[in-house]
Amino acid sequence: AITRITARQVLDSRGNPTVEADVELADGSFGSAAVPSGASTGAREAVELRDGDPERYLGRGVLRAVGYIRGEIADAVVGRDAEDQPGLDAALVELDGTADRSRLGANALLGVSLAAAKAAAAAHRLPLYAYLGGPGARLLPMPMMNIVNGGRHADNPLDFQEFMIAPIGASTFGDAVRMGAEVFHTLRGRLLDAGHGTGVGDEGGFAPELRTAEEALDFVVDAIGRAGYRPGTDLGIIIDPAASEFFRDGAYRYDGEGVVRTVEEHVEHLAKLVDAYPIVSLEDPVAEDDRAGWRLVTDRLGGRIQLTGDDVYCSREPLVREGIRERWGNSVLVKVNQVGTLTEALDTIEAAHRAGWTAVVSHRSGETEDTTIADLAVATGCGQIKTGSLSRSDRTAKYNRLLRIEEQLGSRARYSAGPRPDQVQA
Ligand code: PGA
Ligand code: ZN
């Protein structure tokens, strides 16, 4: 049973405060979890509670959420069985009492939910992936490595938020990390040669002063080749345009490029990119509230590549169910803090899998050294993780955790080749 819960304010990778929660059990087992934070958030995400006190951390403090954990939540949860994760999470949701988790904050709920799972795993003397996934959990995810940053994650003019590489031809997770790192360093050299800065954005990818997707993609394809790999065979490309961020008044406004595209023109532009470059997956290709656009892009590209919904689903099972019915994409991004509890995130992944959709476990642009999502990807066997570039410890911590898991699994470990056409449903 849970005997003690506490929490504190720590810093995330952008220097903003976030919640860290601790859970202790009667046998002395202990779990701790730090909560991530997004920048290009979906409108229907669970609410991250911020203090709004301009005198402290420019209003971004989380002392209220911390206070709720130490007070109300501790009162309600101490004495509960940490192994009953669904029961615990349901109690947290009920205590909050709002649909969007805005009373206690999704950051307060999630910290406790994840810390409890870790404490329960410790009580079983199991690593988290094995505790949650059982003895069959052995699939290492294909990483989506974000090596060029734009949009809200960088101050450059690139309209699209993320250009990622995916080691679809790797045979182990260790190989995948090496391939990604080699391309990352090769890309750095190429950017320098071309006179670009090599400063990095929020997720550790380069943020060069490029304007168009084509310019960024040319650099990425070139770097893959120069690193000794075959674009499209060894490494595929994934783009997250994060299209909600530049959809205004019914049109896609590419401010960096200086072009406005209608929904049809925007989808046509994406299709041209898919034709011209080895793109295996697009995330948020259209805006969260552009339902016609989701239908159009799924009709146009859903049979060829993975189309992952992030903002449109906010990791919430009911929204994913609607998307499955309406045929909006064929895959869902799962960010634990978009829903607020571990159980709900697991339910979302299960619903996607049951419909033949893929699920991608994901970080946020604001992260910490916490590596829970690495274990979650292995536990669910979802086969894909999106956790940033090959630089910055908040990102590499997850890769390093997966390297350790692969070593622990030894010959039982398998590597997912990611979004192959046969895994993708039109
Ligand atoms: P966020 O962005 O964490 O800033 O919301 C990540 C994404 O859009 O995938
Ligand atoms: Zn996204």
Side-chain angles (χ1 to χ4, degrees):
I2 296 172
T3 49
R4 184 167 169 267
I5 293 187
T6 188
R8 67 194 62 81
Q9 182 168 265
V10 297
L11 288 185
D12 76 10
S13 56
R14 275 192 282 248
N16 291 320
T18 191
V19 173
E20 182 174 73
D22 297 349
V23 169
E24 240 176 77
L25 308 185
D27 70 354
S29 299
F30 174 83
S32 181
V35 175
S37 171
S40 68
T41 49
R44 285 166 291 184
E45 287 194 22
V47 172
E48 173 185 81
L49 201 64
R50 297 276 175 193
D51 297 341
D53 173 359
E55 305 280 306
R56 301 181 70 90
Y57 286 110
L58 305 134
R60 300 192 60 79
V62 291
L63 292 177
R64 277 199 294 152
V66 164
Y68 285 135
I69 293 177
R70 293 183 174 188
E72 261 189 70
I73 294 178
D75 290 345
V77 163
V78 166
R80 288 197 76 97
D81 180 5
E83 285 171 36
D84 176 15
Q85 187 81 39
L88 173 70
D89 288 342
L92 290 171
V93 166
E94 194 185 321
L95 183 68
D96 172 76
T98 66
D100 59 2
R101 318 287 145 86
S102 56
R103 193 177 77 81
L104 302 173
N107 41 354
L109 304 190
L110 183 68
V112 173
S113 178
L114 295 181
K118 291 184 180 185
H124 283 259
R125 298 178 186 281
L126 285 171
L128 186 63
Y129 69 88
Y131 170 71
L132 292 174
R138 59 173 187 157
L139 186 67
L140 274 293
M142 178 200 75
M144 300 179 165
M145 299 154 151
N146 181 8
I147 60 175
V148 177
N149 293 188
R152 285 254 169 134
H153 292 173
D155 298 325
N156 59 5
L158 268 177
D159 296 299
F160 290 177
Q161 181 177 280
E162 304 172 17
F163 294 84
M164 296 170 270
I165 49 173
I168 52 179
S171 47
T172 66
F173 186 80
D175 269 351
V177 166
R178 179 177 51 78
M179 290 162 73
E182 288 166 3
V183 173
F184 177 73
H185 292 297
T186 307
L187 176 61
R188 182 173 188 278
R190 299 302 293 166
L191 288 170
L192 277 178
D193 289 348
H196 287 291
T198 53
V200 296
D202 287 353
E203 299 188 350
F206 300 113
E209 290 288 309
L210 303 174
R211 293 195 171 272
T212 69
E214 287 89 337
E215 289 174 90
L217 288 165
D218 287 339
F219 267 106
V220 172
V221 169
D222 178 61
I224 292 173
R226 283 175 191 271
Y229 297 110
R230 295 162 297 175
T233 305
D234 297 319
L235 291 127
I237 292 177
I238 297 171
I239 304 177
D240 179 5
S244 307
E245 301 299 325
F246 58 98
F247 183 65
R248 283 188 301 279
D249 304 322
Y252 290 90
R253 293 167 198 278
Y254 290 61
D255 291 338
E257 220 177 291
V259 182
V260 178
R261 292 186 170 96
T262 65
V263 172
E264 291 74 18
E265 287 165 350
H266 170 70
V267 169
E268 204 45 47
H269 174 58
L270 294 175
K272 282 210 181 92
L273 294 177
V274 170
D275 285 338
Y277 297 94
I279 293 170
V280 295
S281 179
L282 293 174
E283 177 183 327
D284 282 355
V286 294
E288 58 190 305
D289 47 2
D290 181 11
R291 296 173 165 225
W294 266 109
R295 179 57 71 80
L296 186 64
V297 75
T298 305
D299 286 344
R300 190 83 167 73
L301 295 170
R304 288 172 63 189
I305 61 168
Q306 176 175 272
L307 297 171
T308 306
D310 170 11
D311 289 352
V312 65
Y313 299 132
C314 293
S315 309
R316 292 170 58 184
E317 188 190 352
L319 300 180
V320 172
R321 287 187 184 285
E322 184 186 9
I324 290 166
R325 278 196 307 275
E326 299 288 336
R327 297 182 60 250
W328 298 332
N330 50 33
S331 172
V332 58
L333 200 77
V334 178
K335 297 163 162 172
V336 279
N337 80 321
Q338 282 183 327
V339 268
T341 65
L342 176 58
T343 301
E344 291 166 290
L346 294 173
D347 288 348
T348 299
I349 294 173
E350 205 185 307
H353 284 168
R354 268 203 306 271
W357 281 33
T358 54
V360 181
V361 169
S362 171
H363 68 166
R364 298 310 301 253
S365 51
E367 271 292 335
T368 67
E369 60 274 31
D370 186 288
T371 59
T372 310
I373 60 166
D375 284 69
L376 210 53
V378 177
T380 59
C382 70
Q384 298 177 65
I385 190 167
K386 169 169 136 160
T387 189
S389 185
L390 290 309
S391 80
R392 293 198 158 187
S393 295
D394 39 306
R395 313 297 145 182
T396 56
K398 280 66 163 178
Y399 295 129
N400 291 342
R401 171 67 186 148
L402 287 162
L403 290 170
R404 293 181 197 113
I405 294 175
E406 184 169 62
E407 182 186 346
Q408 228 169 53
L409 287 168
S411 62
R412 294 182 53 241
R414 296 288 178 274
Y415 174 71
S416 164
R420 295 185 307 265
D422 58 290
Q423 289 182 303
V424 174
Q425 189 175 284

